[in-house]
Amino acid sequence: MDITQEGSGSGWCAGCENENGSNYWDYSDYWAGMSSAFSHSELVAVTTLCVPLLVLGLMGNILTILVVWLRPQMRSTTYLYLSSMAMSDIMMLVLMPLDLYKLWWYRPWFLGDAVCKLSQFVSECCTFSSILHMTALGAERYVGVCFPLRARLLVTRGRVRVLIGALWGVAALSAGPVLVLVGAEPVEGNLTECRVTRWAESSGLMVAMLWLSNLYFIIPLTTLTMLYTLIARRLRQRRHVHRDHTHRQTLRMMVVIVCVFVVCWLPFHVARTLFCLSLNSSVQVYFLSQYLNLISFVLFYCSAAINPLLYNIMSSRYRDNVRALLRPRTRPLPAPSPSSTHF
């Protein structure tokens, strides 16, 4: 997760140029001699918020993975998706110290070109992967509720594991251009920054990745809205069916997860687009995008840390199995059938 700072290349648009080759955001005189674009108090506030998110997020997501893989009754297809999403969140949270370092001291960059490229690649890959997982889980929920007989044949743990691997592969391919998009580039004097490469700016790759990132947000959100609307309508038509109680719990849970995702990610996409496309913006608009990105920086890691808390609040099954994992019982509960999708 990179934050958009002038000269840092974060957010993919540092050094955006117009058709005449002039830089619309050339504030190098303003930033000269500054290690960060933000005040010390602002950086302290962001760090104070992010460090607890790092600790709680790592603990919660690791616990989610342990619950799914050590408690046989939690190995439903739904929780296979959620455990894979937890792995994605862990990888993003592990990158938080590096992002805080860039926030405090983005120039010069001492960690080399490989760290610059790989950190941004992993961040983008995990982001794309989480979105794809939520969309696939929404599609599975739709099939399970609206076509239950077909779901028994199609939705099995083995097939879901293969699909999860494919989702990670698609996410990695989608994030692949980031390895060319960013790099450790020389700037003023002998200083280097982890930023968008000049080739990416001139070739149009930066704009292409901007739209890809936005499409990864807009299309899955539209798809999930349609799927969950259809699921809700079907459940209302069958409101007296006892089995649908589990489906309703799962639907509420997934809708909350998607809503939290939108709240946490919408400011980031708005700020990135604003910074990259408002070529004739004033200095005031530029600084607005900076502080909007500062807010989205915190929300980004909040999104990675909050899901286990939501599971604990909204799923009694999750709570019970967490307690059982922390305080093992002598007789385990029976494992679900291979086609089980219960939450």
Side-chain angles (χ1 to χ4, degrees), residues 289-322:
S289 71
Q290 295 291 292
Y291 285 98
L292 186 57
N293 270 282
L294 197 62
I295 295 172
S296 68
F297 184 90
V298 178
L299 290 176
F300 176 88
Y301 288 110
C302 181
S303 174
I306 200 173
N307 282 343
L309 178 61
L310 296 178
Y311 306 154
N312 190 68
I313 292 174
M314 302 192 68
S315 173
S316 58
R317 182 181 178 186
Y318 180 85
R319 290 195 302 271
D320 292 342
N321 279 275
V322 168

Coordinates of all heavy atoms in Angstrom, one line a residue, residues 289-322:
S289 N -5.6 15.6 -2.2 CA -5.3 14.2 -2.5 C -4.3 13.6 -1.5 O -4.4 12.4 -1.2 CB -4.9 14.0 -3.9 OG -3.6 14.6 -4.1
Q290 N -3.3 14.4 -1.1 CA -2.3 13.9 -0.2 C -3.0 13.4 1.1 O -2.7 12.3 1.6 CB -1.3 14.9 0.1 CG -0.4 15.3 -1.1 CD 0.5 14.2 -1.5 OE1 1.5 13.9 -0.8 NE2 0.3 13.7 -2.7
Y291 N -3.8 14.2 1.7 CA -4.4 13.9 3.0 C -5.5 12.9 2.9 O -5.8 12.1 3.8 CB -4.8 15.2 3.7 CG -3.7 16.0 4.2 CD1 -3.1 17.0 3.5 CD2 -3.0 15.6 5.4 CE1 -2.0 17.7 4.0 CE2 -1.9 16.3 5.9 CZ -1.4 17.3 5.2 OH -0.3 18.0 5.6
L292 N -6.2 12.8 1.7 CA -7.1 11.7 1.5 C -6.4 10.4 1.5 O -6.9 9.4 2.0 CB -7.9 12.0 0.2 CG -9.0 11.0 -0.1 CD1 -10.1 11.0 1.0 CD2 -9.7 11.4 -1.4
N293 N -5.2 10.4 0.9 CA -4.4 9.2 0.9 C -3.9 8.8 2.3 O -3.7 7.7 2.6 CB -3.2 9.3 -0.1 CG -3.6 8.9 -1.5 OD1 -3.6 7.7 -1.8 ND2 -3.9 9.8 -2.3
L294 N -3.6 9.8 3.1 CA -3.2 9.5 4.5 C -4.3 8.8 5.2 O -4.1 7.9 6.0 CB -2.9 10.9 5.2 CG -2.0 10.7 6.4 CD1 -0.7 10.1 6.2 CD2 -1.8 12.1 7.1
I295 N -5.6 9.2 5.0 CA -6.7 8.6 5.6 C -6.9 7.2 5.0 O -7.1 6.2 5.8 CB -8.0 9.4 5.3 CG1 -7.9 10.7 6.1 CG2 -9.2 8.6 5.8 CD1 -9.1 11.7 5.7
S296 N -6.7 7.0 3.7 CA -6.9 5.7 3.1 C -5.8 4.8 3.5 O -5.9 3.5 3.5 CB -6.9 5.8 1.5 OG -5.7 6.3 1.0
F297 N -4.6 5.3 3.8 CA -3.5 4.5 4.4 C -3.9 3.7 5.6 O -3.7 2.5 5.7 CB -2.3 5.4 4.7 CG -1.1 4.7 5.1 CD1 -0.1 4.3 4.2 CD2 -0.8 4.4 6.5 CE1 1.0 3.6 4.6 CE2 0.3 3.8 6.9 CZ 1.2 3.4 6.0
V298 N -4.6 4.4 6.5 CA -5.1 3.8 7.8 C -6.2 2.8 7.4 O -6.2 1.7 8.0 CB -5.5 4.8 8.8 CG1 -6.1 4.2 10.0 CG2 -4.3 5.7 9.1
L299 N -7.1 3.2 6.6 CA -8.3 2.4 6.3 C -7.8 1.1 5.5 O -8.5 0.0 5.7 CB -9.3 3.2 5.4 CG -10.0 4.3 6.1 CD1 -10.9 5.0 5.1 CD2 -10.9 3.7 7.2
F300 N -6.8 1.2 4.7 CA -6.3 0.0 4.0 C -5.9 -1.1 5.0 O -6.3 -2.2 4.9 CB -5.0 0.4 3.2 CG -4.4 -0.7 2.5 CD1 -4.7 -1.1 1.3 CD2 -3.3 -1.4 3.1 CE1 -4.1 -2.1 0.6 CE2 -2.6 -2.4 2.5 CZ -3.0 -2.8 1.2
Y301 N -5.2 -0.7 6.1 CA -4.8 -1.7 7.1 C -5.9 -2.1 8.0 O -5.9 -3.2 8.6 CB -3.5 -1.2 7.8 CG -2.3 -1.3 6.9 CD1 -1.7 -0.1 6.5 CD2 -1.8 -2.5 6.5 CE1 -0.6 -0.1 5.6 CE2 -0.7 -2.5 5.6 CZ -0.1 -1.4 5.2 OH 1.0 -1.4 4.3
C302 N -6.8 -1.2 8.2 CA -8.0 -1.5 9.0 C -8.8 -2.6 8.2 O -9.3 -3.6 8.9 CB -8.9 -0.3 9.1 SG -10.4 -0.6 10.1
S303 N -8.9 -2.5 6.9 CA -9.6 -3.6 6.1 C -8.9 -4.9 6.3 O -9.6 -6.0 6.4 CB -9.6 -3.2 4.7 OG -10.1 -4.2 3.8
A304 N -7.6 -4.9 6.4 CA -6.8 -6.2 6.5 C -6.9 -6.8 7.9 O -6.7 -8.0 8.1 CB -5.4 -6.0 6.2
A305 N -7.2 -5.9 8.9 CA -7.2 -6.4 10.3 C -8.6 -6.7 10.9 O -8.7 -7.4 11.8 CB -6.5 -5.3 11.2
I306 N -9.6 -6.2 10.2 CA -10.9 -6.2 10.9 C -11.7 -7.4 10.7 O -12.6 -7.8 11.4 CB -11.8 -4.9 10.5 CG1 -12.9 -4.7 11.5 CG2 -12.3 -5.1 9.1 CD1 -13.6 -3.4 11.3
N307 N -11.5 -8.2 9.6 CA -12.3 -9.3 9.3 C -12.4 -10.4 10.4 O -13.5 -10.8 10.7 CB -11.8 -10.0 8.0 CG -12.2 -9.2 6.7 OD1 -13.1 -8.4 6.8 ND2 -11.6 -9.5 5.6
P308 N -11.3 -10.8 11.1 CA -11.5 -11.7 12.2 C -12.4 -11.2 13.3 O -13.2 -12.0 13.9 CB -10.1 -11.9 12.7 CG -9.2 -11.6 11.5 CD -9.9 -10.5 10.8
L309 N -12.4 -9.9 13.5 CA -13.3 -9.3 14.5 C -14.8 -9.5 14.0 O -15.6 -9.8 14.8 CB -13.0 -7.9 14.7 CG -13.8 -7.1 15.7 CD1 -13.8 -7.7 17.1 CD2 -13.5 -5.6 15.8
L310 N -15.0 -9.3 12.8 CA -16.3 -9.4 12.2 C -16.8 -10.9 12.3 O -18.0 -11.1 12.7 CB -16.4 -9.0 10.8 CG -16.1 -7.5 10.5 CD1 -16.1 -7.2 9.0 CD2 -17.1 -6.6 11.2
Y311 N -15.9 -11.8 12.0 CA -16.3 -13.2 12.2 C -16.7 -13.5 13.6 O -17.7 -14.2 13.9 CB -15.1 -14.2 11.8 CG -14.5 -13.9 10.5 CD1 -13.2 -14.3 10.2 CD2 -15.2 -13.4 9.4 CE1 -12.6 -14.1 9.0 CE2 -14.6 -13.2 8.2 CZ -13.3 -13.5 8.0 OH -12.7 -13.3 6.8
N312 N -15.9 -13.0 14.6 CA -16.2 -13.3 16.0 C -17.5 -12.7 16.4 O -18.2 -13.3 17.3 CB -15.0 -12.7 16.8 CG -15.1 -13.2 18.2 OD1 -14.9 -14.3 18.5 ND2 -15.3 -12.2 19.1
I313 N -17.8 -11.5 15.9 CA -19.0 -10.8 16.3 C -20.3 -11.5 15.7 O -21.3 -11.7 16.4 CB -19.0 -9.3 15.9 CG1 -17.9 -8.6 16.7 CG2 -20.4 -8.7 16.1 CD1 -17.7 -7.1 16.3
M314 N -20.2 -11.9 14.5 CA -21.4 -12.3 13.7 C -21.5 -13.8 13.6 O -22.6 -14.2 13.2 CB -21.4 -11.6 12.3 CG -21.3 -10.1 12.4 SD -21.6 -9.4 10.8 CE -23.4 -9.8 10.6
S315 N -20.5 -14.6 13.9 CA -20.7 -16.0 13.7 C -20.4 -16.8 15.0 O -19.3 -16.8 15.6 CB -19.6 -16.5 12.7 OG -19.6 -17.9 12.6
S316 N -21.5 -17.3 15.6 CA -21.4 -18.1 16.8 C -20.5 -19.4 16.6 O -19.8 -19.8 17.5 CB -22.8 -18.5 17.3 OG -23.5 -19.3 16.3
R317 N -20.6 -19.9 15.4 CA -19.8 -21.1 15.0 C -18.3 -20.7 15.1 O -17.5 -21.5 15.6 CB -20.1 -21.6 13.6 CG -19.4 -22.8 13.2 CD -19.8 -23.2 11.8 NE -19.0 -24.4 11.4 CZ -19.1 -24.9 10.2 NH1 -19.9 -24.3 9.3 NH2 -18.4 -26.0 9.8
Y318 N -17.9 -19.6 14.6 CA -16.5 -19.2 14.7 C -16.1 -19.0 16.1 O -15.0 -19.4 16.5 CB -16.3 -17.9 13.9 CG -14.9 -17.3 13.9 CD1 -14.0 -17.8 13.0 CD2 -14.5 -16.4 14.8 CE1 -12.7 -17.3 12.9 CE2 -13.2 -15.9 14.8 CZ -12.3 -16.3 13.9 OH -11.0 -15.8 13.9
R319 N -16.9 -18.3 16.9 CA -16.6 -18.1 18.3 C -16.4 -19.4 19.1 O -15.5 -19.5 19.8 CB -17.7 -17.2 19.0 CG -17.7 -15.8 18.5 CD -18.6 -15.0 19.5 NE -19.9 -15.5 19.6 CZ -21.0 -15.1 18.8 NH1 -20.7 -14.3 17.9 NH2 -22.2 -15.6 19.0
D320 N -17.3 -20.3 18.8 CA -17.3 -21.6 19.6 C -16.0 -22.3 19.2 O -15.4 -23.0 20.1 CB -18.5 -22.4 19.2 CG -19.8 -21.8 19.8 OD1 -19.7 -21.0 20.7 OD2 -20.9 -22.2 19.3
N321 N -15.6 -22.3 17.9 CA -14.4 -23.1 17.5 C -13.1 -22.4 18.0 O -12.1 -23.0 18.2 CB -14.4 -23.3 16.0 CG -15.3 -24.4 15.6 OD1 -14.9 -25.6 15.6 ND2 -16.6 -24.2 15.3
V322 N -13.1 -21.0 18.1 CA -12.0 -20.3 18.6 C -11.8 -20.7 20.1 O -10.7 -21.0 20.5 CB -12.1 -18.8 18.5 CG1 -11.1 -18.1 19.3 CG2 -12.0 -18.4 17.0

